[in-house]
Amino acid sequence: MLIVPLARFASSCVAVAAWSIASPAFAFDISFGKSQLCGLQTARPDRVPGVQVKTLQGRNGPIGYARFGHGTPLLLITGYRATLGEWNAYFLGALARQHEVIVFDNRGVGRSTPAAGHYGIDYGMSDMAADAADVIAGLKLARVDVVGWSMGGMIAQRLALDAPEKVASLTLIATAPPGPEAVPLTPEMTNVLSGSGADAFPKIMSALFPANAVADASKCFIGDMFAPPGYKGRPVPDAVADQQNRAMTAWFADTAAADALRRSPVRTLIVAGANDEVLADTNARRLEQMIPRATLDVVADAGHALMFQYPLELARHIDAFVAK
């Protein structure tokens, strides 16, 4: 855990106390209560007639996306080796009550794959952020609130640096800052998340969730994934996973991005799980120190996949932040 200098800690305590009185929904350490992994009976957009995955043309090829809900536009950027189908459907449904929600496949993944089957071998966070910008432009949106999870949070940060005029607010979930102050994934964790075979799924569940939530996650995770009609997330090619790994490695060495983030004008909510085994909550605390207009919430008894563990509470928390 990052050690905060005494003077800063004291002033932070005063600020937190004042903030708690004014707005008790936000604090440095919060609880979302009991995990909501199983038994939800709320709306999910993949059961709504007409919701389907379409494609638009980006500068580097087709981009698969889905768009649903009503309200202010909210763009969600997913993480490492993930398709748009790996968002929790109930989380998306809760967000869609207040927002027009847009989810899309990162390049080389799902429907964002050109006929030739590849996007080249050298691209990074700026390139994937440019793809996100192409989604915004392709849907003729001026500004959007942006939510990024895990590697998607890194892409979201880059988007806010490269095109701040397009980003109304930024929500960063279980992610890490650029530069050497970050705590990267360990090689062992990367191997777990990249795994295949009969034992891969239980290992991934154990990596994404706290021990007391793994049993429910193992039972309900796949059924709770966003599954619009006709959409099947293709297996992520090894070459794409390798490139995403290289992009993250470059991100953790990007001191220029870290310096730029310290001058970012974008209002930002950082949400981290106190039990995140993939990207430790130390990353969230360092992000909060970097970004001038940041609010940090570390969620007790939460792992890396917060949108599956607490889909409704996390959606409410994002709604409250975006609406401020």
Side-chain angles (χ1 to χ4, degrees):
M1 197 67 63
L2 189 64
I3 298 174
V4 182
L6 183 59
R8 187 183 189 283
F9 178 77
S11 62
S12 294
C13 288
V14 173
V16 171
W19 181 255
S20 297
I21 293 170
S23 180
F26 294 101
F28 280 104
D29 294 284
I30 63 172
S31 173
F32 282 162
K34 185 180 178 181
S35 294
Q36 303 162 339
L37 277 154
C38 294
L40 293 178
Q41 301 297 322
T42 59
R44 47 187 294 169
D46 50 357
R47 305 283 167 80
V48 176
V51 173
Q52 58 182 303
V53 177
K54 302 178 181 180
T55 59
L56 58 81
Q57 190 63 30
R59 70 195 75 184
N60 289 294
I63 301 175
Y65 74 96
R67 184 182 195 183
F68 46 84
H70 302 281
T72 55
L74 189 68
L75 181 76
L76 277 67
I77 309 178
T78 194
Y80 174 65
R81 290 175 58 92
T83 70
L84 61 81
E86 282 155 283
W87 288 107
N88 179 281
Y90 299 104
F91 172 64
L92 298 181
L95 289 173
R97 294 172 191 155
Q98 303 291 332
H99 305 283
E100 181 184 34
V101 176
I102 302 118
V103 294
F104 68 99
D105 284 324
N106 292 321
R107 66 168 65 187
V109 174
R111 294 276 180 88
S112 297
T113 306
H118 63 84
Y119 274 105
I121 58 172
D122 188 17
Y123 56 87
M125 295 302 168
S126 287
D127 302 290
M128 290 187 280
D131 296 337
D134 285 347
V135 174
I136 297 169
L139 297 179
K140 296 180 169 50
L141 300 170
R143 298 179 81 220
V144 299
D145 295 286
V146 177
V147 176
W149 172 65
S150 195
M151 185 190 76
M154 303 171 201
I155 299 169
Q157 291 171 66
R158 190 70 256 181
L159 176 63
L161 292 177
D162 293 345
E165 73 284 356
K166 296 181 182 295
V167 180
S169 74
L170 197 59
T171 298
L172 305 175
I173 304 170
T175 191
E181 291 185 32
V183 181
L185 288 77
T186 65
E188 294 77 15
M189 183 58 68
T190 300
N191 288 338
V192 168
L193 298 178
S194 303
S196 59
D199 64 341
F201 183 72
K203 288 181 178 179
I204 291 171
M205 293 298 98
S206 294
L208 295 181
F209 297 95
N212 62 359
V214 169
D216 279 349
S218 300
K219 180 170 60 174
C220 299
F221 184 86
I222 292 175
D224 289 353
M225 288 169 59
F226 179 56
Y231 177 82
K232 295 191 181 302
R234 307 177 182 116
V236 177
D238 288 343
V240 172
D242 289 345
Q243 183 55 52
Q244 290 184 353
N245 272 316
R246 287 193 291 273
M248 285 191 287
T249 298
W251 179 252
F252 295 131
D254 194 342
T255 55
D259 290 342
L261 205 60
R262 292 183 173 93
R263 301 186 299 275
S264 173
V266 178
R267 192 169 63 91
T268 303
L269 171 65
I270 304 161
V271 184
N275 306 99
D276 192 336
E277 298 292 333
V278 178
L279 287 168
D281 68 337
T282 302
N283 285 301
R285 299 185 190 278
R286 292 179 181 176
L287 262 173
E288 185 268 338
Q289 290 184 327
M290 282 185 180
I291 301 174
R293 300 180 65 195
T295 296
L296 168 64
D297 291 314
V298 178
V299 183
D301 195 29
H304 191 65
L306 287 97
M307 69 284 192
F308 275 88
Q309 193 178 351
Y310 300 106
L312 305 185
E313 286 301 320
L314 180 59
R316 291 188 192 106
H317 207 61
I318 294 170
D319 281 342
F321 170 73
V322 170
K324 281 182 64 67

